[in-house]
Amino acid sequence: MAGAIYCILICMFSRQFSLSAQEKTAASETAVFVVTEHIQVWFLSRISAVAPRTDLEYLKTITRDVLRNKKNDARKTMWKTAGGKFLGHLWYLCPELATLALFDRQVDQETKLSIVAAMNAGEDMEEDDLPNKGFIVKLENSVLSLTLPSFVNAGSKYFFHKLGVQPDFLSLHPSEWPSNSNFKEIEVLVKNLPVVNDAAERNVRIATDFHNILTKNEDQRQGLFLNVANDRKSVSQK
């Protein structure tokens, strides 16, 4: 995002820079992309319930523009780069997280009914047999036909198990959910779910800096990680 902000600043103060025509085009295309397409999704990314819908809409927008621009110009390159970066983050996408769409007030009732139907398709399966693998997505025409239920299967119900709740509201029509106490209880949990990895990245950075001070040897570093993990496990068992 920092690079995108710099592009916007370059466009704002372009008269104070000596830029080539190619550089001006690249900066302006990037700035337009950020302002018109990216920034809204970026701000909404912290809201767990809307993430499935906004991510899918964003992916479709990128795919349409990549397919629309046949020429290998700056615009297509930018959209392909954005799409590649976006796809690189889809390793976390799994049937469980698609369940978040049930708590998005912007998702229509028919879609929510389809999501519930997809979840119930394998309700007789054992927990260990529930499909819970991620999805392989490419910037192709097939993306444009994807819907939220496309990412839901019997494994999606495990989402509620991880939250430690029983989704009794699923037996009701979506129009009744907002007034249902069970739905409202789970909705509060969903709203408070952390959906960014800032904390994890900070922890990794702290651990890395700490180990770089202690040793540069990779074997010693891994041994230290292992000792810390074993120590934490022994403390938690007491």
Side-chain angles (χ1 to χ4, degrees), residues 15-195:
R15 294 183 180 180
Q16 301 180 30
F17 296 98
S18 177
L19 301 174
S20 65
Q22 183 178 4
E23 290 172 334
K24 288 182 179 179
T25 300
S28 62
E29 290 284 1
T30 302
V32 170
F33 165 75
V34 171
V35 173
T36 60
E37 303 293 346
H38 182 71
I39 196 166
Q40 181 180 9
V41 179
W42 188 75
F43 276 113
L44 291 175
S45 65
R46 294 176 178 268
I47 306 176
S48 57
V50 306
R53 173 176 54 84
T54 55
D55 283 358
L56 181 57
E57 291 174 352
Y58 188 41
L59 181 61
K60 287 184 176 182
T61 299
I62 292 176
T63 302
R64 288 192 192 96
D65 210 279
V66 169
L67 296 175
R68 185 185 303 121
N69 291 279
K70 300 299 182 181
K71 296 181 180 179
N72 191 23
D73 54 12
R75 182 176 177 83
K76 181 174 182 178
T77 300
M78 178 194 64
W79 280 91
K80 288 186 69 175
T81 301
K85 190 69 174 179
F86 185 86
L87 294 179
H89 288 283
L90 291 186
W91 58 268
Y92 67 85
L93 179 61
C94 65
E96 293 176 20
L97 293 181
T99 310
L100 292 169
L102 293 174
F103 302 91
D104 184 354
R105 299 300 178 95
Q106 298 300 316
V107 175
D108 61 81
Q109 295 180 7
E110 290 301 319
T111 300
K112 291 181 178 179
L113 286 172
S114 298
I115 291 176
V116 174
M119 292 174 60
N120 292 332
E123 58 184 356
D124 295 330
M125 298 177 65
E126 295 294 331
E127 182 178 299
D128 294 338
D129 297 328
L130 292 175
N132 195 32
K133 295 182 178 180
F135 301 89
I136 299 177
V137 181
K138 298 181 180 180
L139 300 180
E140 301 173 347
N141 279 314
S142 57
V143 169
L144 303 180
S145 62
L146 291 175
T147 61
L148 290 173
S150 303
F151 300 94
V152 179
N153 58 35
S156 300
K157 64 179 66 176
Y158 195 53
F159 169 79
F160 300 106
H161 176 77
K162 286 189 174 181
L163 287 182
V165 295
Q166 186 66 30
D168 298 326
F169 72 91
L170 293 178
S171 61
L172 304 174
H173 190 273
S175 61
E176 302 178 61
W177 292 357
S179 60
N180 180 266
S181 59
N182 177 248
F183 175 83
K184 290 191 287 187
E185 175 189 353
I186 301 176
E187 186 179 37
V188 172
L189 296 177
V190 169
K191 286 182 178 179
N192 288 285
L193 284 176
V195 293

